[in-house]
Amino acid sequence: MGRLPNHEALSLTPHDMGGGYVAPRPASPSDPLRTAVLISGGGSGLAALLRHQSTNPRSHRTALVISESTEAAGLDHGRAAGIKTLGIPIPEGPSRRREHEKLIQRELEAEGIELVVLSGYMRILTPEFVSIWKGRLVNIHPSLLPDFPGAHAHRDALEAGVTVSGCTVHLVDEGVDSGYILEQRSVPVLRDDTEATLQERIKRVEHDLYPLALDRLSNGGYSF
Ligand code: GRF
């Protein structure tokens, strides 16, 4: 499903590969990747991931949850699981975007984070931040990319009149929802769907797909 040439899975090591992606080290349940989850809202995807990680030993473990708002409802999922959970508001002043990312980067480094998982994080990251994490920075988007990138995927899908939409797990690059595709799953669009009903149906699939994609990524199972 990826758009870049394939390499042997065994060649996945933490070095630079085509496209500028640097893969995470291959981890195992006894030595899991330390993962940070970035959220902006309700965090149902975070909750699903934490359930997945708590039901069986996985090769990834959430060590840090961050939102750009101290008010994000999803922060409660991190706190309830006993995970270090931070609301890091966007600072005032010039270069606020970069300054905000520097605050986040400081926390990621302090916690020894190895993989950054965007789960409903609504901010676009700068190329500077992406370049630090490229290959170890993943996102889930609620459409079948490259169709309907951006913040209004459900509205755009309904306006286009498609009968099938879905979700995509992808590595993050410097563009908007344009990185290397790891997994996709389709979801039917029903005739009487609203943005809310379509979003809920897609989220149910996301909650299965994202944890499985992270299992595979942290086990060194993708060739990119
Ligand atoms: C998900 O549909 C995700 O694909 C999109 O934002 C939504 C987040 O939902 N990027 P939640 O905050 O995890 O409930």
Side-chain angles (χ1 to χ4, degrees), residues 11 31 46 85 132 134 201:
S11 73
D31 185 18
L46 166 65
T85 297
I132 298 170
K134 204 171 171 186
R201 191 175 314 110

Side-chain angles (χ1 to χ4, degrees), residues 149-165:
H152 304 289
H154 304 302
R155 186 186 71 191
D156 295 346
L158 291 173
E159 279 178 10
V162 295
T163 56
V164 176
S165 189

Side-chain angles (χ1 to χ4, degrees), residues 37-47 50 62 64-89 119 121:
V37 183
L38 272 55
I39 62 168
S40 293
S44 66
L46 166 65
L50 295 177
T62 303
L64 182 62
V65 173
I66 294 178
S67 175
E68 80 278 30
S69 164
T70 53
E71 308 293 314
L75 292 174
D76 288 342
H77 298 304
R79 293 191 192 108
I83 295 166
K84 183 172 181 183
T85 297
L86 303 171
I88 303 181
S119 187
Y121 189 63

Side-chain angles (χ1 to χ4, degrees), residues 2-7 12 15-23 127 130-137 170-175 178-181 223-224:
R3 295 184 212 126
L4 296 173
N6 277 337
H7 300 274
L12 272 182
H15 65 271
D16 195 359
M17 287 171 289
Y21 296 105
V22 178
V130 171
S131 74
I132 298 170
W133 289 100
K134 204 171 171 186
R136 296 166 302 134
L137 177 58
H170 65 95
L171 299 176
V172 176
D173 71 2
E174 295 76 5
S178 56
Y180 180 90
I181 291 173
S223 313
F224 57 83

Side-chain angles (χ1 to χ4, degrees), residues 3 121-122 124 139-160 162 165-168 170-171 173-179 181 184 195 202 206:
R3 295 184 212 126
Y121 189 63
M122 299 308 287
I124 294 172
N139 184 41
I140 187 156
H141 181 78
S143 76
L144 293 176
L145 292 171
D147 290 344
F148 314 122
H152 304 289
H154 304 302
R155 186 186 71 191
D156 295 346
L158 291 173
E159 279 178 10
V162 295
S165 189
C167 49
T168 303
H170 65 95
L171 299 176
D173 71 2
E174 295 76 5
V176 176
D177 302 322
S178 56
I181 291 173
Q184 288 187 304
E195 284 184 51
I202 290 178
E206 290 183 338

Side-chain angles (χ1 to χ4, degrees), residues 13 21 26 32 37 45 70 79 97 100 115 145 152 159 181 186-188 194 206-208 219-220:
T13 49
Y21 296 105
V37 183
T70 53
R79 293 191 192 108
R97 216 169 137 212
H100 185 237
L115 177 67
L145 292 171
H152 304 289
E159 279 178 10
I181 291 173
S186 56
V187 174
T194 61
E206 290 183 338
H207 295 169
D208 279 338
N219 288 325

